Amino acid sequence: RYEHVKSTAQYPHGEKDSYRKMCRFQSGYLHRHPLLADLDFYWRIEPDVEYYCDMNYDPFVFMQQNGLKYGWNIAMPEFMATIPTLWNTTMQFVTEHPELLAPDSLWPWLLDEHGNYNGCHFWSNFEIVDLSFYRSTAYQTFFDYLDRAGGFFYERWGDAPVHSIAAALFLNASQVHYFDDIGYFHPSVLTCPQDARTKGTCVCDSNKSFVQDGMCTVRFLEVKQSIVNPNATKLARLGPVHYTEPIIHSVLPAINTI
């Protein structure tokens, strides 16, 4: 079965054992590596990426002082062909472990206007994380459940949607931060702070950055604001929201959406 999945996959890295193993390692074992044992935070930095802005503060100190657990920079929909059963597996987990959900979670960020999974995820090639989150009972129980389901290999579940779903379910909205002041490029995608050149702290061109107005980024800002600051007079919306058609249906239909 596994060889058939690889030979017929019609999505990026679908034929690769190594990519699947990397995603599984990043999802469930990186934070357990001995080299990270004495660390409280980590910042994932990959080859061939670029950073375009001056950093006049320490992001680790910023996260610690503000009680933040997960920081991200780019959000976008996942290739749904790589995760056809991830959401339903997640819903099965939630029905079995409702006690693990955060009271003020970002759950609605994962849903479209019909209450279906929208595939939004934080691109995990940039993430700054309080490792106590990945070491938590909630996260580790979730990963073990997914691992037993087999989707890391029989499909091609990536660490990005796994991390993102976990952050949206097990963290409060106030604990997840969008580092929109950091200009960043990962091959094929650029994010650059608005008015970056006029502010004089970045060398990127915000006119060539498209992810700030993307559905997943806008949706995150709206959902977080509705939870953290529901009485705000100015909406957090940056641009138009373009929803995709429902792809995977939730087994828990009675979920409130915004």
Side-chain angles (χ1 to χ4, degrees), residues 28-37 134-135 140 143-144 147:
Y29 294 95
L30 175 66
H31 53 279
R32 293 190 275 188
H33 194 284
L35 290 176
L36 274 64
Y134 289 158
R135 294 166 179 156
Q140 200 57 57
F143 168 75
D144 290 342
D147 202 26

Side-chain angles (χ1 to χ4, degrees), residues 78 83 86 117 119-122 157-166:
E78 177 63 295
I83 54 169
L86 175 59
Y117 180 49
C120 283
H121 69 291
F122 307 125
W157 294 353
D159 52 279
V162 170
H163 287 177
S164 303
I165 290 174

